[in-house]
Amino acid sequence: NKPDDDGTIITSKPKDASQIITGIAGKKDYESITIVKKAKTNKLEVMRKVLEVCSKYNVNVEHIPSSIDTFSLIVESKSIQKRIYEVIAEIKAIKEVQEVLIDNDIALIAVVGRNMATKPGISAKIFSIFGENKINVKVIAQASQELSIIVGVENKDFEKAILSIYNYLVK
C-alpha cells in the first residue's frame, strides 16, 4: 500500500522476465473460521449457507481454503470483531454443521510472480525457508495458475516471514 516507497516498482512490463518472484506483500489481523460439516452432507450447500450468514452480517471473506469435510473462512478481524458471537451462533445452528473452530492472530502473505508457474518447487522453497526459520504455516492457498501463493502465519511471525522470503528468493 506504499507504491512510492523505495524498492517498489509497479509495472505491467517488467524489465527482467527471468525474475520468478515479483512481489511480496501482506497484512496482519485475520481470523480463520473452520467449519466441519457432517458426513454425507453436500459441502457446497453448507458453504452457501455459511456465506449467507457472512453476507447478512457484512463479513468480508478473503479466502476459502477447503478439504474433504471442512472449509475455512479467512476474514479480517476488524470485519467480524463486533459480531463474532452472532455469526458463530448462526453458523453452528446450520443443521449440516458439525463443529466450528476459530483461530485468530493470523497474518496473510502473498508471494506473487508471473513466472512462478514455469519454475517447479517455488512453494516447496517457501515452506522450506519457513521451516528453517521456525515459522509455522497456518494457511495455504494457491491457484493452479500459480500467479500467487497465499500463506498464513501467526501475526508475531509476519515481518520475519516476509524478510525470510525476500532474503532467500529475491536478493
Side-chain angles (χ1 to χ4, degrees), residues 15 28 44 57 65 67 119 123 143 163:
K15 293 179 194 173
K28 290 181 176 180
L44 287 177
Y57 288 97
S67 63
K119 178 136 170 109
S123 296
L163 284 172

Side-chain angles (χ1 to χ4, degrees), residues 27-107:
K27 189 174 175 184
K28 290 181 176 180
D29 298 323
Y30 286 91
E31 312 278 326
S32 173
I33 303 168
T34 299
I35 292 87
V36 180
K37 71 174 191 65
K38 292 180 181 173
K40 297 184 181 181
T41 58
N42 183 313
K43 183 168 60 172
L44 287 177
E45 183 63 21
V46 176
M47 194 178 286
R48 183 188 62 76
K49 290 177 181 181
V50 169
L51 289 173
E52 284 175 356
V53 172
C54 292
S55 179
K56 174 181 174 181
Y57 288 97
N58 202 29
V59 174
N60 184 36
V61 178
E62 189 75 26
H63 291 284
I64 308 177
S66 70
S67 63
I68 294 170
D69 288 327
T70 68
F71 61 94
S72 298
L73 306 176
I74 308 299
V75 301
E76 278 190 283
S77 298
K78 68 181 178 184
S79 81
I80 197 167
Q81 280 176 339
K82 294 180 181 174
R83 43 187 111 50
I84 192 160
Y85 296 110
E86 293 89 350
V87 171
I88 299 304
E90 282 200 37
I91 292 172
K92 285 182 175 180
I94 297 169
K95 69 179 183 173
E96 298 90 351
V97 170
Q98 180 175 317
E99 187 176 12
V100 178
L101 307 164
I102 301 171
D103 195 0
N104 53 21
D105 294 324
I106 294 174

